[in-house]
Amino acid sequence: MREVVLKEPSDFAEWRRAARGLLAGGVAPEEVSWRGSAEGASLFGDAIAAAPVGQLSLPRELVEIAERVICHRDPEVPARLYRLVWRVLHDRHLLARTTDAEVDWLRKADKAIRRDVHKMHAFVRFRRLGEEAGRESFAAWFEPTHRILRLTAPFFQRRFYGMDWAIVTPDARAIWQGETLSYGPGGTRDEVPDSDVVEDQWRTYYGAIFNPARVKIDAMRAEMPKKYWKNLPEAQDIAPLLAGAEARVERMREAAVSLANPLTDKWRTRVPDELLLDDDVKTLGDVARAVDRCTRCPLYCNATQGVAGEGPQAARIMLVGEQPGDQEDLQGRPFVGPAGQVLDAALEEAGLDRTRLFLTNAVKHFKFEPRGKRRLHQNPTVGEIDICRWWLDKERALVQPELIVTLGASALRGVTGKSASIKSMRGAVHELDGGTKLIATIHPSFLLRLPDRARAAEEREMFVADLALARKLAA
């Protein structure tokens, strides 16, 4: 019996060197005993001798999975991986055999690792330590289920490149300092502060974005298991927020009953019917008055009023959203609801003055589904967007912006007339017919729907960057 002692059980390079030596020597899996250095010496095993390493060709998929699965805490992982590698060398299609017990184990172990990595990305919370030589330093304590620090550290390196930080776990620590990533031994929770000065701000923000009408406790617990709560400053607010959710929903129902704006009927009577004629729509004022009389699609039947764009006619940047929401429908103005507040904050951060922009939507009437006293947003269809493009084209012709920023896929369809994903269009400056530049980004309401804090912060950062790019291009 050969015995392999791994100094670092989660070190893929160390396991790979040993496995390649065994394979080169033709050592079968049942002839090898694998153990970690902390498990004590074997009474019967013979330490493996260095063996010549020949050329081995393994499926890339197996190598990638093995690099993750070696981080699993199951002490049998090194032996199981070696057995799989041994079998793959004799059966190149082994990974496709989903009913094979060892392949099934490999898939499940890989899924567990990837889930653990995702949770670590989402739930690490840094605490500020201080500042030295112009660089702030932070530390975080985290207890992953598996030994995944080396898998996750590059994510934090990319995301927090401009500051020094350390992530301490019971198994190891990752240190990013002076733009160098290094690893050290594990530590204890006492090495990291319990709180810092910005946590109250984060808790206030979390409480503000908590939507009691969308509470799904089972989904929340699935996405944010209670084992992570002890490291989350916002966790102490979850129970009070859930306890008060029903009362808050009731207050929302009473305060936001979507009855028709009483001013609407009076306003309708002031709109001359002849403004429905294309030739009579010559100014933005004409558009604003005539949109409410539009009957080009059925959406006008239930909406309180049509909502045209607003902003200076000489605006150099036009922002196009999807459609009016509940508050926009009642107030008759674009981006005045919760998504509008997110947009306002992002505009300010990007250095854009809202009063100098022209804001509008691809669809001018609110599409919703009645649910009790509430009106739940529904996405407009492609047909509804295309029908409403007549108004958007009128606004574009009158404003003649140098740059259009589309917020969401519906807006992108409204401007270009083509269906495309945000992912495929984002990150580049496109040129429309006539020379107008176009930047595609997400709709701000998307940020309100993300339960994952890390993902929401990352998406918001990208959103602000898109708006900042628009400011630079139009400068």
Side-chain angles (χ1 to χ4, degrees):
M1 176 70 72
R2 304 289 185 88
E3 184 173 71
V4 178
V5 180
L6 299 176
K7 295 180 181 177
E8 295 289 339
S10 61
D11 188 340
F12 178 71
E14 183 183 8
W15 173 87
R16 182 173 56 183
R17 282 195 300 273
R20 289 171 68 91
L22 292 169
L23 292 169
V27 181
E30 58 272 18
E31 298 174 4
V32 184
S33 171
W34 297 78
R35 68 178 177 85
S37 58
E39 297 175 19
S42 168
L43 295 177
F44 307 105
D46 299 325
I48 184 174
V53 177
Q55 290 292 326
L56 294 175
S57 175
L58 294 172
R60 178 184 294 273
E61 181 186 13
L62 176 59
V63 176
E64 292 176 349
I65 294 177
E67 193 168 2
R68 292 190 293 267
V69 171
I70 195 67
C71 300
H72 202 289
R73 287 195 188 277
D74 183 351
E76 296 297 318
V77 163
R80 287 190 167 209
L81 286 178
Y82 183 66
R83 191 156 54 241
L84 276 162
V85 169
W86 177 272
R87 292 183 60 196
V88 165
L89 288 177
H90 297 82
D91 180 0
R92 304 293 294 184
H93 302 291
L94 176 63
L95 292 183
R97 308 187 197 287
T98 55
T99 56
D100 185 280
E102 289 185 323
V103 173
D104 181 60
W105 167 83
L106 182 70
R107 300 291 186 190
K108 289 179 178 175
D110 186 36
K111 183 178 181 180
I113 292 295
R114 286 187 284 111
R115 177 178 173 80
D116 203 27
V117 168
H118 173 72
K119 295 303 180 188
M120 187 167 178
H121 288 170
F123 298 133
V124 162
R125 298 290 185 269
F126 285 101
R127 267 85 183 195
R128 190 173 188 274
L129 299 178
E131 183 173 351
E132 186 175 349
R135 284 176 69 89
E136 291 183 296
S137 58
F138 295 81
W141 165 254
F142 196 76
E143 297 167 86
T145 303
H146 303 288
R147 304 182 187 95
I148 57 170
L149 186 61
R150 288 178 185 270
L151 296 180
T152 56
F155 167 83
F156 295 102
Q157 176 187 349
R158 293 191 299 272
R159 188 168 173 203
F160 302 110
Y161 190 88
M163 68 185 201
D164 293 334
W165 52 260
I167 300 176
V168 183
T169 75
D171 307 300
R173 68 185 65 201
I175 301 171
W176 173 251
Q177 187 171 27
E179 300 185 356
T180 300
L181 181 62
S182 60
Y183 296 93
T188 63
R189 186 189 186 96
D190 298 339
E191 298 180 50
V192 178
D194 290 332
S195 62
D196 69 5
V197 294
V198 300
E199 289 193 354
D200 286 343
Q201 298 174 22
W202 163 242
R203 289 174 55 195
T204 301
Y205 172 73
Y206 182 79
I209 65 172
F210 180 83
N211 187 343
R214 293 187 175 181
V215 170
K216 295 181 179 178
I217 296 178
D218 290 342
M220 177 184 291
R221 285 176 176 164
E223 292 299 320
M224 188 189 292
K226 294 188 72 172
K227 61 180 282 188
Y228 300 111
W229 288 19
K230 57 187 175 185
N231 295 322
L232 305 178
E234 68 271 27
Q236 58 188 299
D237 298 325
I238 293 177
L241 288 169
L242 290 176
E246 187 173 349
R248 286 184 60 187
V249 170
E250 192 58 34
R251 288 197 297 273
M252 290 169 62
R253 286 174 178 156
E254 295 173 354
V257 174
S258 299
L259 299 176
N261 190 328
L263 297 176
T264 303
D265 288 339
K266 185 184 294 184
W267 186 66
R268 285 176 194 275
T269 61
R270 296 177 182 174
V271 180
D273 290 341
E274 56 267 26
L275 281 181
L276 288 174
L277 301 175
D278 295 357
D279 293 341
D280 293 324
V281 181
K282 297 178 180 177
T283 68
L284 289 175
D286 292 341
V287 173
R289 288 187 295 272
V291 155
D292 187 60
R293 307 295 289 181
C294 179
T295 58
R296 295 169 185 263
C297 77
L299 294 185
Y300 78 95
C301 298
N302 298 318
T304 305
Q305 56 190 307
V307 180
E310 69 172 22
Q313 184 164 344
R316 303 173 73 175
I317 301 177
M318 173 182 282
L319 267 61
V320 183
E322 182 194 69
Q323 63 166 338
D326 184 80
Q327 287 300 311
E328 286 82 2
D329 175 73
L330 293 174
Q331 298 184 38
R333 296 181 56 210
F335 292 102
V336 292
Q341 294 174 25
V342 174
L343 177 63
D344 287 347
L347 288 173
E348 183 177 359
E349 193 169 332
L352 285 168
D353 183 354
R354 172 169 172 152
T355 62
R356 301 181 66 179
L357 309 175
F358 190 89
L359 278 69
T360 188
N361 285 297
V363 174
K364 308 304 184 189
H365 283 102
F366 180 32
K367 182 178 181 181
F368 60 92
E369 176 186 355
R371 187 77 60 84
K373 293 181 178 180
R374 293 179 296 161
R375 303 190 301 179
L376 301 184
H377 165 276
Q378 281 192 314
N379 294 326
T381 65
V382 170
E384 291 161 348
I385 296 171
D386 290 345
I387 291 172
C388 218
R389 187 182 303 119
W390 189 90
W391 294 109
L392 182 58
D393 287 345
K394 273 289 181 186
E395 291 175 325
R396 287 178 56 186
L398 293 168
V399 177
Q400 297 185 356
E402 297 175 14
L403 175 70
I404 294 176
V405 180
T406 55
L407 310 174
S410 297
L412 190 57
R413 171 81 192 190
V415 172
T416 65
K418 300 177 182 176
S419 294
S421 66
I422 300 299
K423 185 177 180 181
S424 66
M425 298 285 286
R426 199 174 189 183
V429 180
H430 307 273
E431 186 167 317
L432 302 170
D433 293 340
T436 304
K437 296 183 176 62
L438 180 140
I439 292 177
T441 186
I442 60 169
H443 194 281
S445 63
F446 175 65
L447 300 175
L448 295 173
R449 297 194 298 269
L450 287 175
D452 185 329
R453 179 197 176 198
R455 171 92 189 279
E458 189 175 356
E459 288 290 347
R460 187 181 185 282
E461 187 177 339
M462 294 171 61
F463 182 52
V464 172
D466 291 335
L467 296 175
L469 175 61
R471 176 179 57 78
K472 292 178 182 177
L473 291 173

